[in-house]
Amino acid sequence: MPLTILSGSNLRELLHSLTRDEIRTLQRNLSEALREYSTGAQDKGCSATYQPQRTAITRQNGCTTLFMPATTGQTLGIKMISLQDGGVAGCQVEKSGYDGNESDSGSRRRASNRNSVASLSSEMSDLSVGSSQDDGGSVSPTVTTGSGGNSSTDSSTLLSGCVNQQPVIANVSKTLGAWPGAGTRDTSPRGSVTLLDGESLPFALINAHELTAFRTALASLMIFNKRKKVRTLLVFGAGTQAYWHIRLAMTLRGDEIRRVYIVNRSFDRAAKLLRDIYLPENSDWRGDVKFSAVSSDFGDFDRILKEHVRKADAIFCCTPSSTPLFPAEFLTSREGRQKGRLIVAVGSYKSHMTELHPDILRDEVDIQPPHRHFHKHTRRSGVIIVDSLDAAIKEAGEIVQAGVKPNQLVELGELLMVRHATLNEDGQSEEKSLVDWFEKGNVIYKSVGLGLMDLVTGGDLVQLARARNLGTTVEDF
């Protein structure tokens, strides 16, 4: 059995060469796997009830390593990733999110998902997506002084390619902004993914650093693809996750996007990402979209942050933050709910971490009767979308800290399953209210990651790599 090895550089070369059609194919395959994951039927190889439990260990040096096994029924795989996060030494085995034996847990889990979707469909039947003002001409002030001091502003539009309102003119890197050099702060996990065939023989070994970010963005953009309005994007973070959310969004729907705002606490990393986005070789996917970035050390940061959040049609949070990235009232106030947004949080991965203020989630699941004075605001859906119900209620800091209950969570695969089941003969969904919410309502998606994602997408990428003669092949491994 030959073994294909994809190093970090091999994988980057492959991912950068993908066409829009190839990305869509990868996304469809991952979508099908997530749909099977949520069915609860063990005859489906990707079902959650068929997935092995994962384990984490923290060594004495504070480095946490996560072991994530997965199976599709035909192939097996395990992802091992490590991150220096200062944890307490010890070992923890994943446990079910519910009490009871394994089969009882699975049935309760499926029942919870069904109840969540049923409740969502009921609430969405009278969903009213309020009208909102057009954000197409998003205007930001030009600051005439440097960061950190008093500033004077006017209403002119930001220059393309600027950080903290100033042009980026430093040396251009060769890393495309997603892979910081030695000595820079990079919180993306490192490790590998091993893939085995039906006879348990290894056929691939993949560097996990780039794969993790790519497959996470691939899943996030399943919802993004369905949104009606994506003119203005706001991205928190300037690392690998942020890069791939931006690049895939631009590749899939770049002709509809007008502005991309990047917010990062480090000026240097924000500038680095923005410089690299404007490299000539990125013009094909960058197009004519205007990019700008701001860091938290800028003197007028709070006001600009509020403007960016309010203007955004989609918000991607890609940081390992332990504190909320912006105040809840930016989205929960009457002004904040005047239009629906897609809000994606993928950066935090432990229960004490949170990118979104818990009040944002509490507000979304708090169903209230319509109020005649608030007819222009976006109705609450009553649910938060997650990639895995079991993992989210234990690991997602936003979910844990907000006290969101399992019946207020809906798996992404569950929504895909409902949509698949309700398609009529013309291929149109009969759940119009649900579709309206998905396309125009307020949608919050929290992802903590699944080994299944790495297994499915990694397997597809290995096939593409072999077709392109990329990577190293070890015969008769």
Side-chain angles (χ1 to χ4, degrees):
M1 167 63 69
L3 175 75
T4 298
I5 302 174
L6 295 180
S7 66
S9 59
N10 294 149
L11 191 56
R12 286 194 290 272
E13 181 179 352
L14 173 61
L15 295 178
H16 291 167
S17 71
L18 295 176
T19 66
R20 178 184 296 184
D21 288 342
E22 287 172 332
I23 291 172
R24 285 175 172 168
T25 298
L26 292 169
Q27 199 170 48
R28 281 195 299 269
N29 292 344
L30 181 56
S31 171
E32 178 65 20
L34 292 177
R35 188 169 69 85
E36 286 189 8
Y37 176 85
S38 295
T39 61
Q42 288 201 24
D43 60 334
K44 301 293 185 181
C46 296
S47 170
T49 56
Y50 199 52
Q51 300 303 311
Q53 294 180 340
R54 56 187 180 184
T55 302
I57 62 170
T58 301
R59 286 173 278 176
Q60 295 290 344
N61 62 3
C63 181
T64 297
T65 300
L66 184 63
F67 301 84
M68 303 171 64
T71 178
T72 65
Q74 288 77 40
T75 59
L76 303 170
I78 184 166
K79 177 180 181 179
M80 294 177 287
I81 51 175
S82 298
L83 189 65
Q84 188 74 35
D85 59 1
V88 178
C91 179
Q92 181 178 3
V93 179
E94 182 184 55
K95 296 181 180 179
S96 169
Y98 302 96
D99 295 330
N101 59 41
E102 182 177 354
S103 60
D104 185 43
S105 170
S107 63
R108 293 188 189 187
R109 180 182 180 283
R110 294 191 296 274
S112 175
N113 276 6
R114 287 194 299 270
N115 292 339
S116 297
V117 174
S119 174
L120 175 62
S121 298
S122 175
E123 294 294 342
M124 290 297 102
S125 63
D126 61 351
L127 175 68
S128 174
V129 180
S131 60
S132 61
Q133 49 189 326
D134 183 21
D135 298 320
S138 54
V139 176
S140 298
T142 297
V143 178
T144 58
T145 64
S147 62
N150 294 329
S151 59
S152 59
T153 64
D154 58 39
S155 59
S156 60
T157 304
L158 280 173
L159 295 173
S160 298
C162 59
V163 178
N164 287 359
Q165 320 272 3
Q166 301 187 43
V168 176
I169 56 176
N171 293 332
V172 174
S173 75
K174 302 298 183 182
T175 62
L176 299 183
W179 313 279
T184 58
R185 178 178 180 271
D186 184 14
T187 55
S188 299
R190 307 281 179 168
S192 64
V193 176
T194 303
L195 305 181
L196 297 83
D197 64 14
E199 297 180 355
S200 298
L201 296 175
F203 67 87
L205 178 64
I206 309 172
N207 185 295
H209 178 64
E210 207 74 23
L211 177 60
T212 300
F214 178 80
R215 58 78 156 157
T216 302
L218 207 62
S220 298
L221 293 178
M222 291 178 191
I223 306 174
F224 180 80
N225 286 345
K226 304 299 180 184
R227 300 295 291 181
K228 283 289 187 182
K229 187 177 180 183
V230 294
R231 291 175 63 91
T232 304
L233 309 186
L234 173 59
V235 180
F236 287 91
T240 318
Q241 288 281 9
Y243 173 83
W244 279 112
H245 277 78
I246 292 171
R247 178 159 183 159
L248 290 185
M250 295 298 304
T251 301
L252 294 170
R253 300 190 65 178
D255 54 341
E256 302 170 62
I257 300 170
R258 297 292 177 265
R259 289 299 297 259
V260 177
Y261 298 112
I262 300 169
V263 177
N264 193 64
R265 73 176 188 175
S266 165
F267 176 94
D268 291 339
R269 289 199 71 187
K272 184 174 183 294
L273 175 58
L274 206 57
R275 287 196 302 269
D276 296 338
I277 286 175
Y278 275 91
L279 286 173
E281 55 262 40
N282 292 329
S283 60
D284 287 345
W285 62 265
R286 185 185 66 237
D288 297 326
V289 175
K290 294 181 179 180
F291 291 78
S292 61
V294 63
S295 65
S296 56
D297 58 4
F298 181 63
D300 217 11
F301 176 73
D302 291 341
R303 179 187 60 79
I304 293 176
L305 177 64
K306 184 176 181 178
E307 288 182 357
H308 287 356
V309 171
R310 291 281 175 83
K311 290 176 181 178
D313 299 308
I315 300 174
F316 297 109
C317 302
C318 308
T319 76
S321 180
S322 58
T323 57
L325 298 174
F326 54 88
E329 63 181 20
F330 286 4
L331 296 180
T332 60
S333 66
R334 179 177 179 181
E335 293 78 12
R337 296 196 66 91
Q338 285 185 349
K339 73 173 186 178
R341 298 174 182 85
L342 168 62
I343 306 164
V344 173
V346 302
S348 59
Y349 56 91
K350 285 192 173 183
S351 59
H352 73 278
M353 304 169 72
T354 180
E355 297 178 284
L356 301 176
H357 196 291
D359 286 348
I360 295 175
L361 280 70
R362 294 189 188 108
D363 184 70
E364 189 61 31
V365 299
D366 181 21
I367 298 298
Q368 299 177 356
H371 195 292
R372 61 188 180 89
H373 295 301
F374 291 175
H375 63 283
K376 289 185 178 181
H377 84 312
T378 302
R379 292 283 303 281
R380 294 162 178 80
S381 64
V383 299
I384 307 298
I385 302 176
V386 296
D387 49 1
S388 168
L389 175 67
D390 292 339
I393 59 178
K394 296 191 295 291
E395 301 174 10
E398 291 88 349
I399 303 295
V400 174
Q401 296 177 38
V404 178
K405 296 177 173 57
N407 62 0
Q408 295 170 322
L409 302 176
V410 175
E411 287 181 347
L412 176 59
E414 183 81 356
L415 289 177
L416 297 171
M417 186 170 64
V418 170
R419 180 180 180 275
H420 179 82
T422 57
L423 290 178
N424 59 30
E425 293 181 357
D426 297 326
Q428 301 296 317
S429 176
E430 298 175 353
E431 290 283 346
K432 185 178 184 302
S433 58
L434 197 61
V435 172
D436 285 344
W437 165 68
F438 215 54
E439 293 179 345
K440 297 178 289 185
N442 213 52
V443 177
I444 300 176
Y445 170 62
K446 173 61 189 176
S447 171
V448 294
L450 290 170
L452 181 63
M453 295 177 175
D454 302 287
L455 178 58
V456 173
T457 302
D460 287 344
L461 290 174
V462 168
Q463 294 184 26
L464 290 171
R466 288 174 174 174
R468 286 167 162 81
N469 292 319
L470 285 174
T472 301
T473 299
V474 179
E475 299 292 345
D476 299 324
F477 179 82

